[in-house]
Amino acid sequence: MGRIFKTTPEESLALFLSFLLGYPIGVKTLEEEYSLGLITKKQYIFCLCFSNNCGAAFIFSYLASFPTVGKKGALIIFLSQILSTAAIARVKQKNSRHPYALSAFIPHTSAARLISLSVKDACRNMCHLGGFVLFFSGICGALSALLPFLDEDKLYLIFEISGFFRAGAKSIPLCAFAVGWGGICVYMQSLAISDTLNEMKSYLFYKVLNGALMALISWVFCKIFL
């Protein structure tokens, strides 16, 4: 991963977990690495541009269940996410060289203690993430009821993308854009985890850019393979 994305091992871990488990796990991993002194603040901000991605489970199980997407479409979306992320990471690497942080000493913890803490943390995160999804789904539903002239699909695309997919996945490139963008819901989830994210004014720009690149790449793949 370091060769493809030009990242250090610590940065690559956050990126890998973001691809595997989905947002905002990449941001949470960066937050923990920074708190342990494994990465510098500059590295943290650098990685925020491309380490908050949609997870493989969501793409290959949830998105693949829609007839418009299917298994081939899910693979196209996932590959477009990897290519878009790699492009952004390499451009950022050229424009903002950052010093590697020295790895900090991490005290030894028993396996049983690590497992119990991981389960506790996972349960807390699920409640945390679910609360934001319910909140923004409620906002979209309320706006649709009060202002019926607004397009419900576009509301969900802006605020909460799982609702956008439920409303109807109309095309693979549009789904790819939604996956790359993530929505305001994902941004707020990440902001609740990370104090450093608030200092990065260009975060939303990079999320829109990621969505646009994913839509373009997936469109090309669709023309070639579908």
Side-chain angles (χ1 to χ4, degrees):
M1 288 191 70
R3 291 183 179 180
I4 296 173
F5 298 97
K6 298 296 183 181
T7 49
T8 66
E10 291 81 9
E11 295 167 351
S12 296
L13 175 62
L15 183 58
F16 172 74
L17 291 177
S18 76
F19 284 138
L20 182 66
L21 302 174
Y23 23 62
I25 299 302
V27 174
K28 181 172 176 57
T29 304
L30 290 172
E31 181 75 19
E32 292 179 353
E33 288 180 338
Y34 178 54
S35 66
L36 289 170
L38 297 172
I39 59 175
T40 64
K41 190 172 185 179
K42 193 171 183 180
Q43 283 178 281
Y44 188 174
I45 293 175
F46 163 76
C47 289
L48 282 173
C49 297
F50 55 85
S51 293
N52 202 16
N53 298 296
C54 189
F58 182 89
I59 294 174
F60 288 108
S61 61
Y62 185 71
L63 281 187
S65 67
F66 292 96
T68 307
V69 179
K71 292 181 179 179
K72 289 183 179 179
L75 180 60
I76 286 174
I77 291 172
F78 187 71
L79 291 177
S80 69
Q81 179 173 242
I82 292 176
L83 293 175
S84 173
T85 300
I88 293 173
R90 283 175 169 267
V91 169
K92 284 294 294 180
Q93 177 71 15
K94 288 181 180 180
N95 294 334
S96 57
R97 298 285 179 180
H98 56 272
Y100 290 178
L102 295 176
S103 296
F105 171 74
I106 303 176
H108 174 73
T109 306
S110 67
R113 174 66 174 165
L114 285 174
I115 292 172
S116 64
L117 288 175
S118 297
V119 172
K120 178 183 176 181
D121 200 32
C123 292
R124 184 172 61 242
N125 287 336
M126 289 299 292
C127 294
H128 170 86
L129 302 183
F132 279 103
V133 171
L134 290 173
F135 177 73
F136 283 101
S137 294
I139 286 179
C140 291
L143 288 174
S144 297
L146 293 172
L147 305 170
F149 57 87
L150 293 177
D151 191 330
E152 187 179 31
D153 287 5
K154 292 179 181 177
L155 283 175
Y156 276 108
L157 180 60
I158 294 170
F159 289 103
E160 205 281 303
I161 62 168
S162 61
F164 167 76
F165 295 124
R166 288 195 304 271
K170 293 181 173 60
S171 70
I172 291 174
L174 191 58
C175 289
F177 175 82
V179 164
W181 151 239
I184 299 297
C185 180
V186 169
Y187 174 61
M188 296 303 292
Q189 289 171 356
S190 307
L191 198 61
I193 291 174
S194 169
D195 294 329
T196 304
L197 180 58
N198 192 45
E199 300 179 21
M200 186 181 168
K201 306 303 181 184
S202 58
Y203 172 82
L204 291 177
F205 166 78
Y206 280 104
K207 293 307 293 179
V208 173
L209 175 62
N210 186 44
L213 285 175
M214 284 184 61
L216 177 61
I217 294 169
S218 64
W219 178 80
V220 173
F221 280 166
C222 286
K223 291 293 184 182
I224 297 173
F225 299 109
L226 296 181

